[in-house]
Amino acid sequence: MTGTGIGAPVRRKEDQRFITGAGRYTDDLSRPGQAHAYFLRSPHAHAKILSIDTAAARAMPGVVAILTGDDLAADKIGGLICGWMIHSKDGSPMKAGPHPALAQGKVRYVGDHVAVVIADTYAQARDAAEAIEVAYEVLPAVVDARAAQKAGAPQVHDVADDNTVFRWHLGDKASTDAAFARAAHVTKIDLVNNRLVPNPMEPRAAVGEYDPGNESYTLFTTSQNPHVARLVLSAFIGVAPEHKLRVIAPDVGGGFGSKIFIYAEETVCVWAARKVGRPVRWTSDRTEAFLSDAHGRDHATHAELAMDENGKIIGLRAQTIANLGAYLSTFSSSVPTYLYAPLLSGSYDIPAIYAEVDGVYTNTAPVDAYRGAGRPEATFVVERLVEVAARELGMDPAKFRKRNYVKRFPHQTPVIMTYDAGDYGASMDKALELADYKGFSRRKRESARRGKLRGIGFSSYIEACGIAPSQAVGSLGAGVGLWESAEVRVNPTGSIEVLTGSHSHGQGHETTFAQLVCDRLGVPIENVIIVHGDTDKVQFGMGTYGSRSGAVGMSAIAKAIDKVIVKGKKVAAHVLEAAEADIEFKDGKFTVAGTDRGVGFADVALQAYIAHKFSGQDLEPGLKEGAFYDPTNFTFPAGVHICELEIDPDTGVTTIERWTAVDDFGVIINPMIVEGQVHGGIAQGVGQALHEGAIYDESGQLVTASFMDYRMPRAADLPSFQVGMTVTPCPSNPLGIKGCGEAGAIAAPAAVMNAITDALGHEDIAMPATPQAVWRAAQKNAAMRVAAE
Amino acid sequence: MYAFTYHKPSSVRQAAAMLAKNEDAKLLAGGHTLLPTMKQRLASPSALIDLGAMPELKGIERKGRSVVIGAMTRHGEVAESAVVREAIPGLAELAELIGDPHVRHRGTIGGSVANNDPSADYPAALLALDATVITNKRKIAADEFFQGLFVTALEEGEIVTKVSFPVAQKAAYAKFRNPASRYALAGVFVAKRGSDVRVAVTGASENGVFRWTAAEEALKARFTAKSLEGMAPSPDGMIGDIHADSAYRAHLVGVMARRAVQAATSR
Ligand SMILES: Cc1cc2nc3c(=O)[nH]c(=O)nc-3n(C[C@H](O)[C@H](O)[C@H](O)COP(=O)(O)OP(=O)(O)OC[C@H]3O[C@@H](n4cnc5c(N)ncnc54)[C@H](O)[C@@H]3O)c2cc1C
């Protein structure tokens, strides 16, 4: 194979246009006659809307229209949906309150959409919005999920008593309780998984357009899954029929999950475009992004781990309260349930697990999937528990983990998952070596000499990716199937267009997917282009999230390529005047087995289209094949991350000194891109552990609504990472790929917090471990030392 | 942002005349405070008078025992100035700690001083070095210039033209950055000139930049970090926010003061 096939560190084809400013993002589009939308948002976390007076605003210069929830209702536009049904323990369906794209009677969080002003310019729309008079009856608000469940708390939605959307559980309570009853040691912890604001570099944007001639709509939007957006907007919200709605997600500058969902703004842009007879565009500013992009995480968990007298884990139980925000976002109900609790076995052989999860409404922005989605939360619980347990038992945390690892595959956990392949011990051994674990105590002494506290922390994560097979997720409540589609179009010149239902918004698909084509068809990488993100070009697709594009999206492409080869052999048989069964395809060439007679791939493509060598009755002309691919199982990337850090007890500043990541992502298509994904993931995980945290005050105002207060991770916060790989190919897809997009963000928080608590000598610190929090904890550490002396 | 008119006069005199004519006009220097405030619609000047085209406001000069810096000098220029590095290295180091490269290449010393943000860095240097603010009307000693949160001695229509820093024997700045914004969460500038020692603290107090006299007295006795061991100002009156409550801030002032003295004595 050439240097551009599977396994080659090919430079990203798309970067040339991105780094030269030639990318085409939604906000770069300019449509003839376009008008600008500005959303008037609620300044209150919870209020009744008594009246909205738009008279003065309508008279302002440039105003085209002002629309409210009443107009939506009059046009029978449905509410936004949550596409994953969760049933409570008692069998009752989750209690989903209404979620109109523009508020109807009530606002439920700061940033909730009250009205939209459409005007000739953005400034005019914004000016007019200031002239809208809204009479609110402000209601008490609740922002903390635990507080929201207490008696007397303000009720966010009438349908949900105690603000509780569901009381869900997974696993066998009786056998788990029995394991705890006979345990030699039980470790208990309380954890908060802090709320995060996704902050992709490109804020959300939408342009809606209506063509009265064809009665058809086009939506350009910042989406990770344009087909799902089209399906939801047509089948559920009802703004346009599916076949008359084209959704285009052009270049998208990062998503991290926040662009999976179907939001109010794009819904309104499509709907309003027809109403005003002009394209309607909206681009979020950064403040709006903080307020209204779906946030991530926000769990409070009590967890316990039971061990027998040999330090073997025999049971785990967890109670989690998940803050879902003011409305159920598109996949919000699945994140703290099926994307979370099934991972509570971690990489360990735990015979009994029982988890209870309450999903709770509060007067905060909706919470949904954010890089890792449920799996970082699970890993944090498991890896903090395991670390604390090892310390309590006086065992080396690496040894304790190795003792409890799953060692035989396939392995059925008590919480749904069947782990198919892995070698966790190999990852741990490699990580220990790369991290020079043996030298740690020397480095710790050296730090102590400089007055610094050094700590080391492990995170031995596992995740479930692909979010498929469709039957499996359907049985768990998913409203859609989670397969993927692909079409491989070979042109007469032998160049190739690959249409994929995956969507690239930073992952490098234009490169990695092309590498697969090069590998299989032997064509130069320049001759391959990857087409995605347009529902008029790609028939259907499920989009990109859950580290699924490699395992599921590329598998669909591989399947289509196989069909192309089959067809190509038929064509070649005619060209070479040989029996089809005798044709072999290798290195871009069709040959007659056992002879030196052959024909190149491009020639076969041409022959397929000119169709001079075969009759149309024997063989259809053309060379184009499609495939839908649904895997046989989730994929299970796993690995070991080791964080070593130093704390300055005088200031509380934490410096990460060393980071070792040994991941098993199965077969790797492009090691450079995979490493990049690991780096970015670790940065985000470190951000969660040390820096980031969305804070609402008691009245429901978002205190961290700008970068002046919301602390993002920066390059200078991070050391150079030591990235190592182990490979056990994934048996559930033809390429052996497991997925790598979320691993870093899943692994990192526990590694950091385990290292901090190791350095401090006690467990009493929560994420984000800001300098202030670490300083306080270090004070306690000093006090403990004094007490001990 | 609301609509406004934009003017770019070529002399301070012209700018002053425009200001006098138009009450709602604002001077525009680097725009790094003013423009974000306007974008958020928290300020709505009817006119902006850009100070960017006046050679008289630019440049860094050594004048006898002082370093004189024009109001429109960017932070980056101060950080890189050979004159400043030679005469008052602590001042160049302070400028290098402001914001990020974008901010340092737009923000100006005049804008920073006129704005008197309680978390800005320069006010600490002016106060500790006993600098003089020179305006189109008069000279104002730093001790009189800074008068609390965003309040200065500047009068209506008065324009900062230069800041004059007397050279110190030993001077250094230590800054604990606000983790998110990178402004000072606790910034301490120490300067020793003869037997006089001045310690100015920014980022910490609810009243803006202030002189920490207890530390000054301790350092006058012996100019060494040890003299400040265990010292911190009272948390009363310190800013408390999500990044640092008042007790942590007060503690950090003590730590930064010791680090500043350490830096000043080790060059
Ligand atoms: C992201 C970010 C990070 C920052 N970090 C820091 C930091 O770490 N430390 C720090 O100290 N600062 C920081 N700043 C502030 C910045 O460095 C500037 O000092 C500050 O914005 C003011 O300077 P300017 O030139 O931008 O003034 P402008 O924004 O143009 O003006 C500020 C105010 O001063 C007035 N003004 C300006 N020049 C004069 C003059 N010559 N005479 C009278 N009035 C005048 C203006 O009318 C206006 O009211 C940061 C800013 C940003 C945006």
Side-chain angles (χ1 to χ4, degrees):
Chain A
M1 191 47 245
T2 61
T4 56
I6 290 176
V10 179
R11 288 219 190 157
R12 301 195 345 154
K13 292 175 71 171
E14 47 270 76
D15 282 348
Q16 177 69 20
R17 82 171 181 278
F18 292 147
I19 62 181
T20 56
R24 294 275 283 165
Y25 297 88
T26 300
D27 187 64
D28 294 327
L29 301 168
S30 179
R31 310 299 298 170
Q34 66 187 10
H36 297 256
Y38 180 79
F39 286 86
L40 178 66
R41 293 173 186 276
S42 172
H44 306 294
H46 199 191
K48 277 193 188 133
I49 299 176
L50 303 177
S51 65
I52 303 177
D53 181 353
T54 59
R58 274 177 212 278
M60 303 264 296
V63 173
V64 177
I66 299 178
L67 303 170
T68 67
D70 287 349
D71 299 299
L72 277 174
D75 285 4
K76 301 203 165 47
I77 303 297
L80 308 184
I81 60 152
C82 177
W84 197 301
M85 174 52 75
I86 295 297
H87 287 89
S88 286
K89 290 173 212 175
D90 64 8
S92 62
M94 66 185 185
K95 303 191 170 55
H99 189 181
L102 297 170
Q104 292 169 343
K106 210 176 172 196
V107 285
R108 295 183 173 85
Y109 69 102
V110 172
D112 204 352
H113 316 72
V114 176
V116 63
V117 182
I118 297 160
D120 291 339
T121 69
Y122 173 78
Q124 287 170 335
R126 204 167 163 177
D127 287 347
E130 285 181 1
I132 297 177
E133 303 232 2
V134 186
Y136 293 104
E137 178 191 329
V138 178
L139 303 170
V142 61
V143 300
D144 178 81
R146 285 161 292 187
Q149 285 191 309
K150 294 222 169 86
Q155 189 158 344
V156 183
H157 286 273
D158 295 344
V159 293
D161 289 333
D162 303 329
N163 293 309
T164 303
V165 182
F166 51 76
R167 293 180 195 279
W168 175 87
H169 67 162
L170 185 68
D172 183 2
K173 182 169 183 346
S175 66
T176 307
D177 287 347
F180 276 85
R182 66 166 194 277
H185 182 81
V186 173
T187 292
K188 301 180 181 183
I189 53 174
D190 287 285
L191 298 170
V192 168
N193 206 288
N194 42 326
R195 179 185 278 246
L196 304 175
V197 182
N199 281 318
M201 206 181 285
E202 180 207 23
R204 289 189 292 119
V207 183
E209 218 169 85
Y210 179 67
D211 174 351
N214 297 319
E215 298 179 318
S216 68
Y217 299 77
T218 304
L219 169 66
F220 300 88
T221 187
T222 48
S223 175
Q224 300 178 213
N225 44 350
H227 292 87
V228 177
R230 182 175 68 152
L231 180 66
V232 170
L233 285 166
S234 57
F236 298 95
I237 303 176
V239 283
E242 191 174 13
H243 62 300
K244 296 207 165 179
L245 174 59
R246 176 180 184 185
V247 179
I248 302 173
D251 283 333
V252 174
F256 311 115
S258 70
K259 292 173 182 168
I260 298 171
F261 322 122
I262 289 76
Y263 289 89
E265 291 88 353
E266 57 259 30
T267 303
V268 167
C269 284
V270 179
W271 166 64
R274 177 170 183 179
K275 282 193 97 65
V276 304
R278 290 167 64 174
V280 173
R281 65 177 300 142
W282 168 80
T283 299
S284 170
D285 69 19
R286 192 53 74 178
T287 307
E288 291 181 287
F290 271 101
L291 292 176
S292 70
D293 286 3
H295 292 177
R297 320 277 193 254
D298 205 343
H299 284 195
T301 296
H302 174 78
E304 303 183 352
L305 196 67
M307 272 76 58
D308 70 11
E309 46 292 322
N310 302 317
K312 170 80 189 67
I313 301 170
I314 55 173
L316 182 153
R317 57 191 175 198
Q319 287 168 318
T320 293
I321 299 180
N323 190 337
L324 301 176
Y327 299 97
L328 296 186
S329 170
T330 317
F331 289 111
S332 59
S333 55
S334 66
V335 176
T337 51
Y338 287 109
L339 297 182
Y340 166 70
L343 274 304
L344 285 174
S345 195
S347 22
Y348 309 103
D349 178 11
I350 307 180
I353 297 176
Y354 181 64
E356 292 172 290
V357 180
D358 289 1
V360 178
Y361 276 131
T362 60
N363 295 113
T364 62
V367 178
D368 206 324
Y370 172 67
R371 201 170 191 170
R375 290 149 294 164
E377 294 90 320
T379 298
F380 191 61
V381 169
V382 175
E383 288 304 297
R384 289 287 290 124
L385 261 181
V386 165
E387 189 84 20
V388 175
R391 287 173 192 165
E392 286 177 358
L393 295 173
M395 280 180 71
D396 175 81
K399 280 211 187 90
F400 180 71
R401 283 178 170 83
K402 284 177 77 168
R403 175 170 303 179
N404 283 289
Y405 276 154
V406 170
K407 293 178 191 90
R408 269 185 293 277
F409 297 87
H411 171 83
Q412 177 64 52
T413 74
V415 277
I416 301 176
M417 295 301 179
T418 311
Y419 298 168
D420 50 11
D423 187 346
Y424 310 142
S427 294
M428 176 61 93
D429 290 342
K430 189 161 178 181
L432 290 173
E433 197 188 313
L434 284 175
D436 184 25
Y437 187 50
K438 288 207 185 84
F440 173 71
S441 49
R442 179 178 42 77
R443 295 191 293 276
K444 189 175 172 81
R445 282 195 301 277
E446 192 277 325
S447 295
R449 272 198 293 281
R450 288 181 287 107
K452 301 290 194 319
L453 309 171
R454 186 176 277 258
I456 194 163
F458 295 83
S459 181
S460 185
Y461 75 96
I462 187 166
E463 51 170 330
C465 294
I467 329 199
S470 301
Q471 259 192 341
V473 295
S475 73
L476 306 179
V480 287
L482 288 164
W483 42 263
E484 195 47 87
S485 82
E487 193 174 306
V488 175
R489 296 181 183 168
V490 183
N491 296 320
T493 58
S495 66
I496 296 173
E497 289 151 34
V498 176
L499 283 68
T500 169
S502 297
H503 186 278
S504 187
H505 36 279
Q507 294 85 348
H509 295 173
E510 290 172 42
T511 308
T512 48
F513 288 15
Q515 285 180 251
L516 169 63
V517 179
C518 293
D519 199 88
R520 291 292 161 98
L521 296 179
V523 296
I525 197 160
E526 314 77 74
N527 290 3
V528 183
I529 76 162
I530 308 299
V531 178
H532 66 92
D534 183 341
T535 60
D536 262 15
K537 294 184 179 159
V538 179
Q539 188 234 328
F540 208 90
M542 298 313 303
T544 288
Y545 38 82
S547 304
R548 66 193 308 274
S549 302
V552 190
M554 286 179 82
S555 292
I557 298 172
K559 215 175 142 188
I561 290 173
D562 288 345
K563 293 185 188 176
V564 165
I565 294 171
V566 168
K567 174 82 180 279
K569 282 182 179 172
K570 291 190 204 301
V571 176
H574 286 281
V575 174
L576 298 168
E577 294 174 343
E580 187 189 327
D582 292 340
I583 304 292
E584 287 177 345
F585 181 68
K586 216 179 144 221
D587 297 339
K589 218 171 163 190
F590 294 90
T591 52
V592 181
T595 74
D596 59 359
R597 290 198 305 128
V599 55
F601 180 79
D603 288 332
V604 166
L606 183 65
Q607 291 298 336
Y609 283 95
I610 61 176
H612 292 169
K613 305 258 176 177
F614 53 89
S615 103
Q617 276 64 51
D618 293 343
L619 187 62
E620 278 182 29
L623 193 52
K624 177 188 99 165
E625 298 290 345
F628 286 74
Y629 174 76
D630 207 345
T632 56
N633 193 358
F634 293 88
T635 68
F636 297 97
V640 175
H641 286 221
I642 302 178
C643 168
E644 190 171 322
L645 50 74
E646 203 177 72
I647 290 169
D648 175 353
D650 286 343
T651 58
V653 169
T654 299
T655 310
I656 296 179
E657 297 284 337
R658 302 160 71 101
W659 195 286
T660 309
V662 176
D663 299 288
D664 178 358
F665 298 134
V667 171
I668 285 171
I669 306 296
N670 182 324
M672 182 194 69
I673 288 180
V674 166
E675 277 202 28
Q677 290 287 321
V678 172
H679 289 186
I682 294 170
Q684 266 171 309
V686 168
Q688 166 158 32
L690 294 181
H691 312 304
E692 298 181 55
I695 299 172
Y696 283 94
D697 70 13
E698 283 196 354
S699 74
Q701 295 295 330
L702 183 60
V703 180
T704 52
S706 85
F707 291 132
M708 296 301 272
D709 285 307
Y710 189 90
R711 194 330 191 161
M712 294 292 283
R714 297 184 170 94
D717 298 330
L718 302 160
S720 282
F721 306 116
Q722 284 254 30
V723 178
M725 302 283 167
T726 58
V727 176
T728 61
C730 176
S732 68
N733 64 65
L735 299 172
I737 296 175
K738 296 185 179 180
C740 67
E742 298 157 297
I746 290 171
V752 174
M753 295 312 288
N754 285 337
I756 288 187
T757 51
D758 178 49
L760 292 172
H762 64 85
E763 310 293 334
D764 190 15
I765 184 164
M767 297 194 291
T770 62
Q772 170 166 246
V774 171
W775 176 71
R776 280 258 134 69
Q779 298 280 101
K780 179 170 173 180
N781 169 277
M784 281 168 26
R785 224 171 337 176
V786 170
E789 273 160 19
Chain B
M1 216 177 252
Y2 297 101
F4 57 88
T5 58
Y6 172 82
H7 309 274
K8 198 167 188 180
S10 53
S11 72
V12 174
R13 184 186 288 267
Q14 267 179 17
M18 284 178 180
L19 263 187
K21 260 197 288 190
N22 188 343
E23 257 183 34
D24 295 336
K26 277 235 168 237
L27 298 172
L28 176 68
H32 261 47
T33 292
L34 186 52
L35 296 182
T37 325
M38 289 169 64
K39 282 185 182 168
Q40 290 173 343
R41 302 195 152 199
L42 298 172
S44 51
S46 58
L48 287 187
I49 301 166
D50 192 339
L51 298 175
M54 304 170 192
E56 58 197 299
L57 295 186
K58 291 198 179 131
I60 299 170
E61 251 187 302
R62 175 82 192 234
K63 273 197 174 163
R65 287 163 182 258
S66 292
V67 172
V68 181
I69 302 179
M72 282 302 290
T73 309
R74 318 274 175 194
H75 311 325
E77 294 170 302
V78 175
E80 281 157 26
S81 159
V83 174
V84 181
R85 290 225 164 247
E86 153 85 40
I88 319 174
L91 184 60
E93 286 159 14
L94 172 145
E96 198 164 21
L97 288 171
I98 296 176
D100 51 47
H102 294 76
V103 173
R104 290 196 289 277
H105 286 84
R106 290 300 308 168
T108 67
I109 189 167
S112 179
V113 167
N115 196 43
N116 192 18
D117 187 306
S119 302
D121 296 300
Y122 269 128
L126 267 73
L127 206 51
L129 288 165
D130 196 12
T132 302
V133 178
I134 301 164
T135 76
N136 58 337
K137 296 185 178 154
R138 57 190 168 135
K139 296 184 172 174
I140 310 166
D143 279 316
E144 272 84 60
F145 185 84
F146 299 109
Q147 302 187 344
L149 293 194
F150 298 102
V151 182
T152 67
L154 288 175
E155 286 162 7
E156 205 68 33
E158 194 168 6
I159 301 174
V160 176
T161 56
K162 292 183 170 72
V163 182
S164 174
F165 293 92
V167 174
Q169 279 157 320
K170 289 182 198 286
Y173 182 60
K175 172 181 183 177
F176 192 88
R177 286 171 153 162
N178 175 312
S181 75
R182 297 186 149 194
Y183 273 85
L185 200 140
V188 180
F189 203 108
V190 297
K192 177 172 162 46
R193 194 179 296 110
S195 58
D196 192 29
V197 174
R198 293 166 67 109
V199 177
V201 179
T202 189
S205 165
E206 286 175 342
N207 292 316
V209 66
F210 71 97
R211 282 175 62 185
W212 182 16
T213 45
E216 291 179 353
E217 292 313 314
L219 289 170
K220 277 179 196 162
R222 244 188 106 216
F223 194 76
T224 149
K226 273 225 165 64
S227 306
L228 301 180
E229 210 51 64
M231 278 179 75
S234 161
D236 293 342
M238 291 286 153
I239 298 170
D241 58 25
I242 57 167
H243 304 288
D245 62 20
S246 52
Y248 176 51
R249 261 201 174 74
H251 165 79
L252 283 177
V253 170
V255 176
M256 291 303 118
R258 287 188 285 281
R259 290 187 183 177
V261 175
Q262 188 70 48
T265 51
S266 58
R267 47 174 141 247

